[in-house]
């Protein structure tokens, strides 16, 4: 990466001032001396025309190459949401039974799928207890 790439390039005998391609040569370590494409930061030889992969294989390859940890996969998000929902109902039950020394308030928006239950009603109390049991 070039520390301070030259931003502009004067071409056509000093008549045209345009953006300079910010790519760095891997061989000479110098900044590319071509003008950048309109609205882009690089020239056509350094990816200015590229709009990303189009085929399914190409998209899959990029997706696999950018996969870093799996913390944000759909499965991980669903699992986290389910745990958050269980915790919310456990918190409601604890507050209802005076399990804590004071009423605990959960912060933030309620998790998806959460509906405030009236725990004085036995049916809804049982429903809240059932929702704290893990599905697997
Ligand atoms: Zn270039």
């Amino acid at each position: 990466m070039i520390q301070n790439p030259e931003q502009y390039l004067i071409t056509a005998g000093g008549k045209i001032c345009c953006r300079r391609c910010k790519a760095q040569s891997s061989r000479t370590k110098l900044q590319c001396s071509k003008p950048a494409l309109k609205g882009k930061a690089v020239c056509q030889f350094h990816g200015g025309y590229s709009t990303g992969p189009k085929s399914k294989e190409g998209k899959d390859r990029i997706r696999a190459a950018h996969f870093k940890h799996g913390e944000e996969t759909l499965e991980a998000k669903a699992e986290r949401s389910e745990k958050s929902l269980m915790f919310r109902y456990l918190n409601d039950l604890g507050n209802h039974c005076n399990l804590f020394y004071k009423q605990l308030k959960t912060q933030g928006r309620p998790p998806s799928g959460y509906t405030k239950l009236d725990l004085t009603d036995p049916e809804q109390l049982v429903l809240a207890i059932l929702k704290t049991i893990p599905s697997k």
Side-chain angles (χ1 to χ4, degrees), residues 37-57:
L37 290 178
K38 200 172 190 176
K40 302 282 173 78
V42 288
C43 67
Q44 67 265 41
F45 298 122
H46 291 114
Y49 284 140
S50 176
T51 55
K54 297 283 177 260
S55 69
K56 187 183 180 324
E57 295 84 35

PDB file of all heavy atoms in Angstrom, residues 37-57:
ATOM      1  N   LEU A  37     -10.420   5.539 -13.943  1.00  0.00           N
ATOM      2  CA  LEU A  37     -11.668   5.618 -14.707  1.00  0.00           C
ATOM      3  C   LEU A  37     -12.611   6.596 -14.018  1.00  0.00           C
ATOM      4  O   LEU A  37     -12.499   6.854 -12.819  1.00  0.00           O
ATOM      5  CB  LEU A  37     -12.312   4.236 -14.805  1.00  0.00           C
ATOM      6  CG  LEU A  37     -11.590   3.231 -15.684  1.00  0.00           C
ATOM      7  CD1 LEU A  37     -12.311   1.900 -15.658  1.00  0.00           C
ATOM      8  CD2 LEU A  37     -11.503   3.728 -17.112  1.00  0.00           C
ATOM      9  N   LYS A  38     -13.563   7.089 -14.783  1.00  0.00           N
ATOM     10  CA  LYS A  38     -14.495   8.086 -14.255  1.00  0.00           C
ATOM     11  C   LYS A  38     -15.282   7.523 -13.074  1.00  0.00           C
ATOM     12  O   LYS A  38     -15.913   6.476 -13.192  1.00  0.00           O
ATOM     13  CB  LYS A  38     -15.460   8.480 -15.379  1.00  0.00           C
ATOM     14  CG  LYS A  38     -16.145   9.791 -15.176  1.00  0.00           C
ATOM     15  CD  LYS A  38     -16.913  10.147 -16.451  1.00  0.00           C
ATOM     16  CE  LYS A  38     -17.406  11.554 -16.390  1.00  0.00           C
ATOM     17  NZ  LYS A  38     -18.071  11.940 -17.635  1.00  0.00           N
ATOM     18  N   GLY A  39     -15.219   8.186 -11.959  1.00  0.00           N
ATOM     19  CA  GLY A  39     -15.947   7.747 -10.770  1.00  0.00           C
ATOM     20  C   GLY A  39     -15.288   6.613 -10.012  1.00  0.00           C
ATOM     21  O   GLY A  39     -15.859   6.100  -9.064  1.00  0.00           O
ATOM     22  N   LYS A  40     -14.105   6.200 -10.442  1.00  0.00           N
ATOM     23  CA  LYS A  40     -13.406   5.087  -9.794  1.00  0.00           C
ATOM     24  C   LYS A  40     -12.058   5.585  -9.280  1.00  0.00           C
ATOM     25  O   LYS A  40     -11.623   6.685  -9.600  1.00  0.00           O
ATOM     26  CB  LYS A  40     -13.172   3.939 -10.793  1.00  0.00           C
ATOM     27  CG  LYS A  40     -14.411   3.389 -11.421  1.00  0.00           C
ATOM     28  CD  LYS A  40     -15.124   2.481 -10.463  1.00  0.00           C
ATOM     29  CE  LYS A  40     -16.465   2.034 -10.982  1.00  0.00           C
ATOM     30  NZ  LYS A  40     -16.423   0.998 -11.959  1.00  0.00           N
ATOM     31  N   ALA A  41     -11.412   4.747  -8.487  1.00  0.00           N
ATOM     32  CA  ALA A  41     -10.113   5.115  -7.939  1.00  0.00           C
ATOM     33  C   ALA A  41      -8.978   4.421  -8.674  1.00  0.00           C
ATOM     34  O   ALA A  41      -7.818   4.710  -8.414  1.00  0.00           O
ATOM     35  CB  ALA A  41     -10.053   4.777  -6.461  1.00  0.00           C
ATOM     36  N   VAL A  42      -9.329   3.477  -9.573  1.00  0.00           N
ATOM     37  CA  VAL A  42      -8.298   2.728 -10.287  1.00  0.00           C
ATOM     38  C   VAL A  42      -8.572   2.720 -11.791  1.00  0.00           C
ATOM     39  O   VAL A  42      -9.694   2.997 -12.238  1.00  0.00           O
ATOM     40  CB  VAL A  42      -8.200   1.265  -9.766  1.00  0.00           C
ATOM     41  CG1 VAL A  42      -7.576   1.202  -8.401  1.00  0.00           C
ATOM     42  CG2 VAL A  42      -9.549   0.612  -9.768  1.00  0.00           C
ATOM     43  N   CYS A  43      -7.526   2.388 -12.550  1.00  0.00           N
ATOM     44  CA  CYS A  43      -7.643   2.340 -14.008  1.00  0.00           C
ATOM     45  C   CYS A  43      -8.244   1.006 -14.450  1.00  0.00           C
ATOM     46  O   CYS A  43      -8.482   0.128 -13.625  1.00  0.00           O
ATOM     47  CB  CYS A  43      -6.276   2.535 -14.646  1.00  0.00           C
ATOM     48  SG  CYS A  43      -5.137   1.179 -14.344  1.00  0.00           S
ATOM     49  N   GLN A  44      -8.430   0.830 -15.756  1.00  0.00           N
ATOM     50  CA  GLN A  44      -9.048  -0.399 -16.252  1.00  0.00           C
ATOM     51  C   GLN A  44      -8.165  -1.615 -16.045  1.00  0.00           C
ATOM     52  O   GLN A  44      -8.659  -2.732 -15.980  1.00  0.00           O
ATOM     53  CB  GLN A  44      -9.445  -0.257 -17.732  1.00  0.00           C
ATOM     54  CG  GLN A  44      -8.312  -0.118 -18.699  1.00  0.00           C
ATOM     55  CD  GLN A  44      -8.010   1.327 -19.004  1.00  0.00           C
ATOM     56  OE1 GLN A  44      -8.023   2.170 -18.135  1.00  0.00           O
ATOM     57  NE2 GLN A  44      -7.739   1.600 -20.277  1.00  0.00           N
ATOM     58  N   PHE A  45      -6.847  -1.413 -15.928  1.00  0.00           N
ATOM     59  CA  PHE A  45      -5.958  -2.553 -15.728  1.00  0.00           C
ATOM     60  C   PHE A  45      -5.918  -3.002 -14.272  1.00  0.00           C
ATOM     61  O   PHE A  45      -5.415  -4.048 -13.958  1.00  0.00           O
ATOM     62  CB  PHE A  45      -4.541  -2.211 -16.202  1.00  0.00           C
ATOM     63  CG  PHE A  45      -4.484  -1.888 -17.663  1.00  0.00           C
ATOM     64  CD1 PHE A  45      -4.010  -0.662 -18.104  1.00  0.00           C
ATOM     65  CD2 PHE A  45      -4.936  -2.808 -18.599  1.00  0.00           C
ATOM     66  CE1 PHE A  45      -3.976  -0.365 -19.447  1.00  0.00           C
ATOM     67  CE2 PHE A  45      -4.907  -2.511 -19.945  1.00  0.00           C
ATOM     68  CZ  PHE A  45      -4.427  -1.287 -20.384  1.00  0.00           C
ATOM     69  N   HIS A  46      -6.405  -2.168 -13.382  1.00  0.00           N
ATOM     70  CA  HIS A  46      -6.348  -2.513 -11.959  1.00  0.00           C
ATOM     71  C   HIS A  46      -7.734  -2.693 -11.346  1.00  0.00           C
ATOM     72  O   HIS A  46      -7.933  -2.419 -10.167  1.00  0.00           O
ATOM     73  CB  HIS A  46      -5.536  -1.458 -11.201  1.00  0.00           C
ATOM     74  CG  HIS A  46      -4.085  -1.496 -11.562  1.00  0.00           C
ATOM     75  ND1 HIS A  46      -3.440  -0.482 -12.215  1.00  0.00           N
ATOM     76  CD2 HIS A  46      -3.163  -2.481 -11.382  1.00  0.00           C
ATOM     77  CE1 HIS A  46      -2.175  -0.819 -12.425  1.00  0.00           C
ATOM     78  NE2 HIS A  46      -1.985  -2.028 -11.925  1.00  0.00           N
ATOM     79  N   GLY A  47      -8.690  -3.088 -12.151  1.00  0.00           N
ATOM     80  CA  GLY A  47      -9.994  -3.452 -11.611  1.00  0.00           C
ATOM     81  C   GLY A  47     -11.052  -2.386 -11.711  1.00  0.00           C
ATOM     82  O   GLY A  47     -12.087  -2.493 -11.062  1.00  0.00           O
ATOM     83  N   GLY A  48     -10.813  -1.361 -12.505  1.00  0.00           N
ATOM     84  CA  GLY A  48     -11.796  -0.280 -12.619  1.00  0.00           C
ATOM     85  C   GLY A  48     -13.094  -0.714 -13.273  1.00  0.00           C
ATOM     86  O   GLY A  48     -14.155  -0.219 -12.935  1.00  0.00           O
ATOM     87  N   TYR A  49     -13.002  -1.666 -14.226  1.00  0.00           N
ATOM     88  CA  TYR A  49     -14.205  -2.136 -14.907  1.00  0.00           C
ATOM     89  C   TYR A  49     -14.923  -3.232 -14.136  1.00  0.00           C
ATOM     90  O   TYR A  49     -16.064  -3.565 -14.435  1.00  0.00           O
ATOM     91  CB  TYR A  49     -13.848  -2.696 -16.280  1.00  0.00           C
ATOM     92  CG  TYR A  49     -13.542  -1.673 -17.331  1.00  0.00           C
ATOM     93  CD1 TYR A  49     -12.528  -1.851 -18.247  1.00  0.00           C
ATOM     94  CD2 TYR A  49     -14.299  -0.510 -17.406  1.00  0.00           C
ATOM     95  CE1 TYR A  49     -12.254  -0.909 -19.214  1.00  0.00           C
ATOM     96  CE2 TYR A  49     -14.021   0.437 -18.364  1.00  0.00           C
ATOM     97  CZ  TYR A  49     -13.009   0.240 -19.270  1.00  0.00           C
ATOM     98  OH  TYR A  49     -12.769   1.172 -20.220  1.00  0.00           O
ATOM     99  N   SER A  50     -14.267  -3.800 -13.143  1.00  0.00           N
ATOM    100  CA  SER A  50     -14.831  -4.967 -12.465  1.00  0.00           C
ATOM    101  C   SER A  50     -16.059  -4.601 -11.650  1.00  0.00           C
ATOM    102  O   SER A  50     -16.069  -3.620 -10.917  1.00  0.00           O
ATOM    103  CB  SER A  50     -13.786  -5.586 -11.546  1.00  0.00           C
ATOM    104  OG  SER A  50     -14.366  -6.643 -10.831  1.00  0.00           O
ATOM    105  N   THR A  51     -17.113  -5.369 -11.820  1.00  0.00           N
ATOM    106  CA  THR A  51     -18.315  -5.177 -11.006  1.00  0.00           C
ATOM    107  C   THR A  51     -18.588  -6.413 -10.183  1.00  0.00           C
ATOM    108  O   THR A  51     -19.699  -6.632  -9.741  1.00  0.00           O
ATOM    109  CB  THR A  51     -19.526  -4.854 -11.890  1.00  0.00           C
ATOM    110  OG1 THR A  51     -19.655  -5.888 -12.855  1.00  0.00           O
ATOM    111  CG2 THR A  51     -19.385  -3.516 -12.559  1.00  0.00           C
ATOM    112  N   GLY A  52     -17.579  -7.251  -9.994  1.00  0.00           N
ATOM    113  CA  GLY A  52     -17.722  -8.436  -9.161  1.00  0.00           C
ATOM    114  C   GLY A  52     -18.122  -9.649  -9.945  1.00  0.00           C
ATOM    115  O   GLY A  52     -18.466  -9.558 -11.131  1.00  0.00           O
ATOM    116  N   PRO A  53     -18.089 -10.795  -9.313  1.00  0.00           N
ATOM    117  CA  PRO A  53     -18.420 -12.034 -10.005  1.00  0.00           C
ATOM    118  C   PRO A  53     -19.902 -12.095 -10.362  1.00  0.00           C
ATOM    119  O   PRO A  53     -20.741 -11.590  -9.627  1.00  0.00           O
ATOM    120  CB  PRO A  53     -18.047 -13.120  -8.998  1.00  0.00           C
ATOM    121  CG  PRO A  53     -18.070 -12.452  -7.692  1.00  0.00           C
ATOM    122  CD  PRO A  53     -17.725 -11.029  -7.921  1.00  0.00           C
ATOM    123  N   LYS A  54     -20.213 -12.716 -11.496  1.00  0.00           N
ATOM    124  CA  LYS A  54     -21.594 -12.828 -11.962  1.00  0.00           C
ATOM    125  C   LYS A  54     -22.116 -14.255 -11.858  1.00  0.00           C
ATOM    126  O   LYS A  54     -23.292 -14.465 -11.582  1.00  0.00           O
ATOM    127  CB  LYS A  54     -21.697 -12.367 -13.417  1.00  0.00           C
ATOM    128  CG  LYS A  54     -21.340 -10.920 -13.606  1.00  0.00           C
ATOM    129  CD  LYS A  54     -22.475 -10.032 -13.155  1.00  0.00           C
ATOM    130  CE  LYS A  54     -22.118  -8.572 -13.265  1.00  0.00           C
ATOM    131  NZ  LYS A  54     -21.721  -7.966 -12.017  1.00  0.00           N
ATOM    132  N   SER A  55     -21.253 -15.222 -12.122  1.00  0.00           N
ATOM    133  CA  SER A  55     -21.716 -16.612 -12.112  1.00  0.00           C
ATOM    134  C   SER A  55     -21.863 -17.103 -10.687  1.00  0.00           C
ATOM    135  O   SER A  55     -21.308 -16.529  -9.748  1.00  0.00           O
ATOM    136  CB  SER A  55     -20.724 -17.499 -12.867  1.00  0.00           C
ATOM    137  OG  SER A  55     -19.525 -17.593 -12.141  1.00  0.00           O
ATOM    138  N   LYS A  56     -22.631 -18.169 -10.544  1.00  0.00           N
ATOM    139  CA  LYS A  56     -22.854 -18.731  -9.208  1.00  0.00           C
ATOM    140  C   LYS A  56     -21.553 -19.262  -8.620  1.00  0.00           C
ATOM    141  O   LYS A  56     -21.285 -19.076  -7.433  1.00  0.00           O
ATOM    142  CB  LYS A  56     -23.896 -19.843  -9.298  1.00  0.00           C
ATOM    143  CG  LYS A  56     -24.315 -20.375  -7.934  1.00  0.00           C
ATOM    144  CD  LYS A  56     -25.279 -21.511  -8.050  1.00  0.00           C
ATOM    145  CE  LYS A  56     -25.724 -22.060  -6.729  1.00  0.00           C
ATOM    146  NZ  LYS A  56     -24.761 -22.084  -5.676  1.00  0.00           N
ATOM    147  N   GLU A  57     -20.704 -19.865  -9.461  1.00  0.00           N
ATOM    148  CA  GLU A  57     -19.435 -20.402  -8.968  1.00  0.00           C
ATOM    149  C   GLU A  57     -18.543 -19.272  -8.477  1.00  0.00           C
ATOM    150  O   GLU A  57     -17.895 -19.384  -7.433  1.00  0.00           O
ATOM    151  CB  GLU A  57     -18.707 -21.189 -10.075  1.00  0.00           C
ATOM    152  CG  GLU A  57     -19.409 -22.448 -10.541  1.00  0.00           C
ATOM    153  CD  GLU A  57     -20.477 -22.171 -11.593  1.00  0.00           C
ATOM    154  OE1 GLU A  57     -20.282 -21.268 -12.417  1.00  0.00           O
ATOM    155  OE2 GLU A  57     -21.521 -22.852 -11.563  1.00  0.00           O
TER     156      GLU A  57
END
